[in-house]
């Protein structure tokens, strides 16, 4: 699936790099955050991905920016994460955009 400003998804996850060092990754946007605990890093990478998405949409930038792939080593780390956690933290953004980031715009377009 190719991401566009109107629909798509991003995948985020966090893993321990070293004792007391975690990395958070957004695979589709090639974003990385670092911190001292996994919860902190997950919140940081989520905020970074949402901010990135919002910037691309608000500034009417190219959809290609929503399809920047992280390096292969992070995709491999993600596969390891999936095996350990048995879940896929994929975030579709259509509903998020509609309800959280741009509720007024969607109400106006839909005459709600």
């Amino acid at each position: 699936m190719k991401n566009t400003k109107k629909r798509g998804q991003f995948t985020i996850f966090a893993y321990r790099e070293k004792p007391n060092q975690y990395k958070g990754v957004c695979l589709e946007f090639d974003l990385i955050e670092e911190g001292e605990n996994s919860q902190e890093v997950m919140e940081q990478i989520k905020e970074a991905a949402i901010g990135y998405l919002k910037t691309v949409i608000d500034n009417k930038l190219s959809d290609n920016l929503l399809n920047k792939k992280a390096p292969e080593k992070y995709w491999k780390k993600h596969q390891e994460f999936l095996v350990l956690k048995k879940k896929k933290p994929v975030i579709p953004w259509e509903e998020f955009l509609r309800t959280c980031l741009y509720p007024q715009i969607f109400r106006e377009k839909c005459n709600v």
Side-chain angles (χ1 to χ4, degrees):
M1 165 187 223
K2 185 173 179 188
N3 291 328
T4 68
K5 285 184 270 309
K6 291 187 179 183
R7 91 179 334 196
Q9 64 185 30
F10 57 87
T11 308
I12 60 174
F13 72 104
Y15 67 94
R16 183 168 42 194
E17 180 91 320
K18 299 176 186 171
N20 297 325
Q21 183 185 11
Y22 290 82
K23 279 195 178 180
V25 180
C26 177
L27 293 172
E28 290 78 7
F29 300 164
D30 190 17
L31 300 174
I32 303 203
E33 293 287 334
E34 294 183 353
E36 294 182 1
N37 70 62
S38 62
Q39 291 171 332
E40 171 187 309
V41 170
M42 279 300 287
E43 194 58 38
Q44 289 172 342
I45 195 64
K46 180 178 164 187
E47 288 177 19
I50 290 167
Y52 185 86
L53 173 60
K54 188 174 182 331
T55 298
V56 170
I57 292 170
D58 288 349
N59 293 296
K60 297 177 176 60
L61 301 175
S62 170
D63 286 352
N64 291 336
L65 293 171
L66 302 174
N67 296 284
K68 293 172 41 177
K69 299 288 185 193
E72 186 63 30
K73 70 180 185 178
Y74 296 113
W75 289 88
K76 288 178 182 174
K77 286 284 187 188
H78 181 249
Q79 289 302 314
E80 294 169 12
F81 173 83
L82 292 178
V83 169
L84 291 174
K85 299 293 181 182
K86 295 184 172 57
K87 64 181 181 178
K88 189 173 184 182
V90 172
I91 302 173
W93 59 68
E94 302 88 75
E95 185 64 23
F96 177 78
L97 292 174
R98 189 173 10 270
T99 58
C100 299
L101 287 182
Y102 303 101
Q104 183 63 35
I105 293 169
F106 281 96
R107 277 196 296 272
E108 289 170 3
K109 285 185 179 178
C110 299
N111 296 319
V112 175

